[in-house]
Amino acid sequence: MTTALPRIQVVILNLIPIFFLFSSSYAQSKVYIVYMDHSAIPRAFSTHHSWFESTLSSISENSELPISSKLIHTYTNSIHGFSASLTPSELASLQNSPGYIHSTPDRPMELHTTHSPNFLGMSTSSGVWPASSYGEDVIIGVIDSGVWPESESFKDRGMSRVPLRWKGKCVTGQQFNTSLCNKKLIGARYFNKGVRANFPDAKITINSARDNEGHGTHTASIACGNFVEGASYFGYAAGTARGMAPRARLAVYKVLWENYIYSSDVIAAVDQAIKDGVDVLSMSLGIFAEEDKFYDEDPIALATFAAMEKGIFVSASAGNKGRLFHGTIYNGAPWLTTVAAGTLDREFKGALTLGNDTKKITFESLYPGEFSGHREQIVFLNKCKSLKKLKRLKGKVIVVCKDGKNTNLGTQVDIIKNGSTSVISGAIFLTNYDYKDYYDYSFAAGFIDDENDRKTVMDYISKNKNPTGVLEFRKTILGTATAPKVARYSSRGPFARSRNVLKPDVLAPGSEILASWTPLDKVGEVHSKPLFSNFKLVSGTSMAAPHVSGLAALIKSVHPDWSPAAIRSAIMTTANPLDNTGSPIKDDGNNDEPASPLAMGAGFIDPNKAIDPGLIYDAETEDYVKLLCSFNYTAKQMKIITKTNTSCNGIKPSSDLNYPSFIAYFPSDLEGSHRPKVVREFIRRVRNVGNEKASYRAEVSGMSGFNVKVEPSKLVFRRKNEMLSYKLSVEGPISVVEEIELLVHGSLSWVEESGKHVVRSPIVATDIDPRPMR
């Protein structure tokens, strides 16, 4: 039976819907992001900003309107160009101006821990934390909704002076002054000119880097929050909170304003972060690629290409459009590290004890309010359709509701919530609706979806004239859940714009992550009364991305000369494809079937191994240019991305990027009876960053129905930093594949003969259309 989703506050995706209206006075103007050829600047201008102002002045239809009201942002580091409010005729004139390359409309975007470091095996006594000095002096930039600077997570206890290379600053604004920054929080800026231009009626309550949404404070503290003892969410997940890189420095760039966020502001934030000198960028937001379009529709991809060139590692959330749909990845540009969300081995529970402590039933819960914990009468109201029956109850009771035909779980919840709180101590709903993500309950309720547990409750009630029970909450249970699993909401690959690069890259903790929160935003309600907390449990790939940002900071601390691609390679090739039971990681969005790399990438991050990967797959700007040329981009399109006069003439295009994963496409056959045999080949080069002399042998696992060959099958390194190449061939299908949709996966592992290192890369063979699902 299918039942309706209960109408209670759901905390599962952490994806904030963005809604936009435009006032009539702005009907003729529209905000555009304009790409200019920086080399075309006339000698009369000393800065690009003055050139852009002059250009806008020359095309302006209203000479009385100051140019400063039209020019929104000037970009010089991430892209070359500006954003401006233009009428259709002004845009047409601009397109004929010297230096103009391209323009695209400004677009709205959307946002997409105590226990997670423990679950990742991180320890203060050994491993990645002490080896990296907890990421000290590495600077993480977080582009999000700002920061709550008073949070204990951002105190600078035990931290040394700010690195002299830092060029950023804390910008004064409403309810925010420079004294709020310290040796931990070393930068705070805010960007909202794009929001104001696109949506003049948007109400900005705090015009500064101060976070009144909570999302930015949460993601920043996951990445690099300091140690905070006694953290919890109303007793759930109690312990010491700390980020992945507790000694890393933090710079925040606020771009979210009361649920409004525009790409023009995000590009400005990336532009400034590059100039300030961050080492790592963490981005938990994005634009969904509705179609297989050129990269000018993806501002994060364009802006972060420049960050990659500057050696800045960028971690970005995969998006929350998951379940069974492929092609739902948000941030899939090959120079980004795309992070999917996984679960932890931690469960939050409530418990119902029946009778004289003889039978205890647990259920998932995050009810934050008070509860009696006393033995009380159980009243069975069957389908709980009548509010009158509730009002006739006397004394404190636990109400039990059972679903069935013509019942609606949401209606049952509403009826119980509207009942007398002086009588109803709590409620138990017996339902076959088994949606496993957590709810933020507004009253003391338990949802029991296990068939045997439902039967136990009903048998007890039917056999006892005066049934009683004890209802309890705030129970945190560790180590009992199979984990990690791919969260059902996490977006799936492939990524349409770069179909030959397997995405996502890795899986990181994303479900029910405890981290700091702003006290201005309520974290829940109990009986219609708002609750506030300094910490909150939130789910989403938004929470997964900063875990990888923090890990990248730790690796950067140990290997400061490594490129962003080298750091990504270390994270991917050491990721674990197995869960805590030693079985393949399962996909919660696919009935707990083994997860494919299109859902989890290379596997679950393993920080302690990532600082010593043995071999790395590196890539530089030249490699990405060759990949872009394989897309048949024009010289103008190449200039938009690379910001140079790079042309594909004379460049040998290659869709085979030196990436630590493989995805091979094969012709589809809708009849499922015959597929032509095809060979796909990949060339890879690896650099020895382990022992001076090392030998590795190739081991292939999985790939049923395909023949995978590695040449040579052994790599012998004679010195450190030596680079060797190999070829991987995937031939198939070599047997009849009955499935209409082909998706076979396995892995190639380079196993060091000494046993010290295993360098693993996922392999996917598929005929899945990488164009996004609609």
Side-chain angles (χ1 to χ4, degrees):
M1 174 182 175
T2 301
T3 55
L5 186 70
R7 285 179 283 154
I8 48 185
Q9 183 184 0
V10 181
V11 194
I12 55 174
L13 296 187
N14 193 39
L15 185 146
I16 301 178
I18 316 296
F19 301 97
F20 299 90
L21 298 173
F22 296 89
S23 63
S24 58
S25 62
Y26 282 74
Q28 296 301 313
S29 294
K30 190 174 183 179
V31 177
Y32 289 88
I33 298 169
V34 181
Y35 301 88
M36 301 288 285
D37 183 353
H38 76 291
S39 64
I41 181 173
R43 292 183 178 181
F45 299 103
S46 59
T47 67
H48 285 81
H49 183 80
S50 59
W51 175 33
F52 300 153
E53 282 188 327
S54 177
T55 300
L56 287 175
S57 180
S58 68
I59 64 169
S60 177
E61 295 177 341
N62 187 347
S63 59
E64 297 180 358
L65 192 67
I67 294 303
S68 59
S69 67
K70 297 184 73 65
L71 182 60
I72 299 169
H73 292 295
T74 295
Y75 311 115
T76 57
N77 299 293
S78 55
I79 65 172
H80 285 144
F82 58 91
S83 50
S85 181
L86 303 170
T87 65
S89 60
E90 288 173 337
L91 177 63
S93 297
L94 177 64
Q95 290 170 345
N96 294 318
S97 298
Y100 172 87
I101 299 176
H102 183 66
S103 59
T104 183
D106 197 8
R107 297 177 62 195
M109 305 178 74
E110 59 189 34
L111 296 176
H112 288 182
T113 77
T114 56
H115 182 59
S116 54
N118 285 345
F119 186 57
L120 292 170
M122 303 172 78
S123 167
T124 57
S125 60
S126 63
V128 64
W129 268 347
S132 64
S133 299
Y134 300 86
E136 189 165 12
D137 286 349
V138 178
I139 303 168
I140 300 177
V142 177
I143 298 178
D144 212 296
S145 66
V147 66
W148 189 259
E150 294 87 356
S151 169
E152 290 293 318
S153 294
F154 308 124
K155 300 301 182 184
D156 60 1
R157 295 181 298 271
M159 300 194 69
S160 59
R161 59 184 293 184
V162 177
L164 295 176
R165 59 188 172 86
W166 175 240
K167 300 175 183 177
K169 65 178 182 179
C170 290
V171 177
T172 299
Q174 190 176 2
Q175 299 183 32
F176 198 105
N177 57 61
T178 58
S179 65
L180 293 171
C181 288
N182 54 30
K183 290 180 287 186
K184 177 70 172 181
L185 177 61
I186 64 174
R189 299 179 185 268
Y190 57 101
F191 305 84
N192 57 28
K193 291 181 180 179
V195 167
R196 290 179 181 275
N198 280 285
F199 192 60
D201 297 329
K203 183 181 179 181
I204 294 178
T205 56
I206 302 180
N207 192 27
S208 72
R210 182 174 290 279
D211 183 12
N212 58 320
E213 307 277 348
H215 191 273
T217 299
H218 200 272
T219 55
S221 61
I222 291 172
C224 58
N226 215 329
F227 292 85
V228 181
E229 296 181 356
S232 77
Y233 175 75
F234 299 100
Y236 293 103
T240 299
R242 64 279 205 200
M244 290 290 289
R247 291 290 184 264
R249 317 296 174 144
L250 171 65
V252 298
Y253 301 85
K254 182 178 178 179
V255 296
L256 176 69
W257 305 90
E258 278 72 37
N259 292 356
Y260 299 97
I261 178 171
Y262 269 90
S263 55
S264 56
D265 291 331
V266 173
I267 294 174
V270 175
D271 201 80
Q272 188 63 56
I274 295 172
K275 185 177 181 180
D276 288 346
V278 301
D279 300 305
V280 175
L281 267 179
S282 188
M283 306 183 72
S284 294
L285 42 82
I287 290 179
F288 183 56
E290 293 291 349
E291 297 179 12
D292 182 10
K293 292 184 177 180
F294 171 60
Y295 268 116
D296 69 343
E297 298 290 337
D298 189 342
I300 290 180
L302 291 175
T304 56
F305 187 90
M308 174 275 298
E309 290 183 295
K310 296 291 186 180
I312 300 170
F313 178 93
V314 184
S315 171
S317 51
N320 299 333
K321 288 184 178 289
R323 302 293 187 100
L324 296 178
F325 297 118
H326 291 109
T328 53
I329 289 286
Y330 273 67
N331 298 304
W335 44 88
L336 301 172
T337 298
T338 308
V339 189
T343 63
L344 297 175
D345 66 337
R346 178 175 63 188
E347 296 179 296
F348 304 116
K349 297 284 190 178
L352 172 65
T353 302
L354 300 171
N356 296 318
D357 299 326
T358 56
K359 297 177 181 178
K360 178 176 286 190
I361 295 171
T362 61
F363 46 85
E364 295 174 354
S365 176
L366 274 175
Y367 169 65
E370 299 297 326
F371 58 93
S372 71
H374 298 144
R375 186 169 306 284
E376 291 162 335
Q377 181 186 1
I378 292 177
V379 177
F380 178 61
L381 293 181
N382 201 354
K383 297 180 181 180
C384 292
K385 288 184 175 182
S386 174
L387 190 58
K388 292 182 179 179
K389 288 184 178 180
L390 284 176
K391 292 183 177 180
R392 290 201 294 264
L393 296 174
K394 296 181 180 181
K396 284 287 188 179
V397 299
I398 299 171
V399 173
V400 175
C401 305
K402 181 182 179 183
D403 66 5
K405 291 183 178 179
N406 302 319
T407 60
N408 182 294
L409 183 58
T411 301
Q412 288 181 332
V413 169
D414 284 345
I415 289 174
I416 299 301
K417 284 175 66 175
N418 292 327
S420 174
T421 57
S422 62
V423 173
I424 301 174
S425 176
I428 294 295
F429 297 89
L430 307 179
T431 176
N432 63 0
Y433 186 76
D434 61 351
Y435 196 76
K436 292 295 186 181
D437 293 302
Y438 301 118
Y439 298 93
D440 185 6
Y441 296 131
S442 61
F443 67 108
F447 292 80
I448 299 178
D449 54 58
D450 181 82
E451 183 178 356
N452 292 328
D453 288 342
R454 297 200 307 264
K455 185 177 184 300
T456 297
V457 173
M458 290 307 302
D459 287 347
Y460 171 74
I461 292 174
S462 64
K463 293 176 182 178
N464 290 271
K465 292 182 179 181
N466 296 300
T468 61
V470 178
L471 195 56
E472 300 172 286
F473 296 92
R474 301 183 183 176
K475 296 180 178 294
T476 301
I477 302 174
L478 301 176
T480 58
T482 299
K485 294 181 181 180
V486 178
R488 64 179 67 196
Y489 54 79
S490 189
S491 290
R492 270 62 172 170
F495 185 64
R497 293 193 182 111
S498 304
R499 67 193 302 268
N500 293 314
V501 178
L502 177 59
K503 291 286 182 172
D505 293 312
V506 287
L507 187 69
S511 289
E512 295 305 328
I513 303 301
L514 183 76
S516 291
W517 198 254
T518 171
L520 295 181
D521 185 73
K522 69 178 183 180
V523 297
E525 288 185 354
V526 172
H527 302 304
S528 300
K529 295 180 179 180
L531 296 177
F532 298 89
S533 173
N534 292 325
F535 288 86
K536 186 177 181 180
L537 288 156
V538 188
S539 296
T541 54
S542 282
M543 286 62 248
H547 278 89
V548 172
S549 303
L551 174 54
L554 299 177
I555 298 172
K556 186 80 173 177
S557 180
V558 178
H559 305 285
D561 58 332
W562 280 11
S563 70
I567 294 173
R568 177 181 58 212
S569 173
I571 295 172
M572 290 179 65
T573 60
T574 58
N576 193 346
L578 306 179
D579 61 26
N580 56 0
T581 70
S583 301
I585 291 174
K586 297 176 177 60
D587 189 340
D588 192 38
N590 189 21
N591 301 314
D592 277 351
E593 291 294 322
S596 84
L598 293 179
M600 70 171 184
F604 200 61
I605 59 172
D606 189 334
N608 292 320
K609 290 184 178 180
I611 57 172
D612 182 19
L615 305 176
I616 56 172
Y617 297 76
D618 211 345
E620 304 295 340
T621 301
E622 178 185 354
D623 299 296
Y624 297 113
V625 168
K626 290 179 180 179
L627 176 68
L628 294 171
C629 286
S630 74
F631 300 157
N632 296 319
Y633 283 170
T634 64
K636 184 178 80 170
Q637 290 174 320
M638 291 295 293
K639 184 177 290 187
I640 292 172
I641 300 175
T642 65
K643 299 167 293 298
T644 66
N645 290 319
T646 298
S647 170
C648 291
N649 293 331
I651 294 178
K652 184 178 180 181
S654 175
S655 61
D656 190 18
L657 182 66
N658 193 47
Y659 216 77
S661 60
F662 307 87
I663 182 167
Y665 291 95
F666 291 84
S668 61
D669 177 43
L670 297 180
E671 299 299 324
S673 59
H674 175 72
R675 295 175 187 268
K677 188 178 293 186
V678 178
V679 178
R680 302 297 187 206
E681 294 182 346
F682 306 86
I683 302 296
R684 294 291 188 268
R685 59 185 186 275
V686 289
R687 177 154 56 97
N688 175 31
V689 294
N691 301 322
E692 286 288 340
K693 294 183 179 181
S695 296
Y696 289 82
R697 69 179 186 279
E699 292 186 2
V700 175
S701 63
M703 301 303 296
S704 175
F706 288 82
N707 182 27
V708 179
K709 187 177 181 180
V710 182
E711 300 176 290
S713 60
K714 186 175 182 178
L715 298 176
V716 179
F717 296 92
R718 293 175 174 80
R719 63 184 180 278
K720 198 165 187 174
N721 291 317
E722 181 182 2
M723 192 172 294
L724 296 176
S725 298
Y726 68 90
K727 180 174 73 174
L728 180 139
S729 304
V730 182
E731 180 186 14
I734 58 177
S735 60
V736 174
V737 180
E738 297 181 356
E739 292 81 1
I740 293 178
E741 180 181 84
L742 172 67
L743 178 56
V744 176
H745 55 92
S747 65
L748 163 66
S749 295
W750 287 102
V751 181
E752 189 174 10
E753 291 187 345
S754 68
K756 184 177 181 180
H757 298 107
V758 176
V759 185
R760 182 184 174 276
S761 296
I763 309 171
V764 169
T766 186
D767 65 355
I768 292 174
D769 187 345
R771 289 175 297 179
M773 299 290 293
R774 291 181 179 273

